[in-house]
């Protein structure tokens, strides 16, 4: 059978060439139509809460902010993990939820819990829930380096040319 296939391919060269070209063209067309991101977002649903407490030591931040907020946020349905990073004058709390959890539902749950504890936190506290981000949110970092352009010209190029191109290609990434 393989011998007959090779024999057919050798005797019908033009037909094989046309079919190969059509198949390659269809493959290229199909490749261009794929609705798949180059960098799919495989991160879990994540909500970040960041508070800035000017002048507080890490121990004060942990005792007066991190511990009460953590205690309030524990037990949210579909929550996988709760991590806290405490630094001088700053607390960064990250909540990861199971795959498939709606980000807006998760943020609503966290917002309700934070509203319930807001009167127990220090009055000088700044911050709250961070904007919706993912680890892939930093994929589009670039610079415009051209010594012939002034800073204003570079800023205009970024805002009026490159920014609009990115927004057209990835409308959800620049919100």
């Amino acid at each position: 059978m393989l011998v007959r296939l090779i024999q057919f391919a050798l005797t019908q060269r033009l037909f094989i060439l046309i079919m190969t070209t059509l198949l390659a063209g269809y493959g290229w067309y199909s490749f261009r139509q794929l609705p798949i991101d180059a960098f799919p977002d495989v991160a879990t649903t994540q909500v970040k809460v960041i508070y800035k407490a000017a002048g507080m030591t890490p121990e004060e931040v942990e005792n007066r902010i991190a511990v009460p907020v953590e205690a309030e946020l524990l037990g949210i349905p579909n929550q996988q993990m709760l991590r806290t990073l405490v630094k001088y004058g700053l607390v960064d709390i990250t909540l990861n939820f199971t795959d498939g959890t709606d980000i807006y539902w998760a943020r609503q749950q966290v917002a309700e819990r934070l509203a319930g504890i807001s009167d127990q936190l220090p009055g000088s506290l700044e911050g709250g829930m961070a904007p919706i981000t993912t680890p892939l949110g930093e994929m589009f970092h670039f610079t415009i380096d051209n010594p012939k352009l002034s800073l204003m010209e570079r800023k205009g190029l970024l805002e009026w040319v490159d920014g609009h191109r990115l927004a057209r290609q990835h409308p959800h990434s620049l919100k």
Side-chain angles (χ1 to χ4, degrees), residues 62 65-75 79 82-86 91-93 117:
E62 179 147 4
I65 302 166
V67 171
V69 171
E70 284 177 347
E72 188 69 22
L73 294 176
L74 288 174
Q79 183 180 332
L82 183 135
R83 290 188 311 263
T84 303
L85 174 67
V86 176
V91 61
D92 181 349
I93 301 171
I117 195 173

Side-chain angles (χ1 to χ4, degrees), residues 46 68 104:
Q46 190 176 78
Y104 298 105

Side-chain angles (χ1 to χ4, degrees), residues 128-148:
M129 269 195 301
I132 298 174
T133 60
T134 68
L136 293 178
E138 297 185 16
M139 282 313 246
F140 292 109
H141 276 238
F142 61 91
T143 60
I144 299 175
D145 294 324
N146 187 341
K148 295 178 183 177

Side-chain angles (χ1 to χ4, degrees), residues 104 131-133 166-167 170-175:
Y104 298 105
I132 298 174
T133 60
L166 286 173
H170 307 281
H172 61 279
S173 65
L174 295 177
K175 289 182 180 175

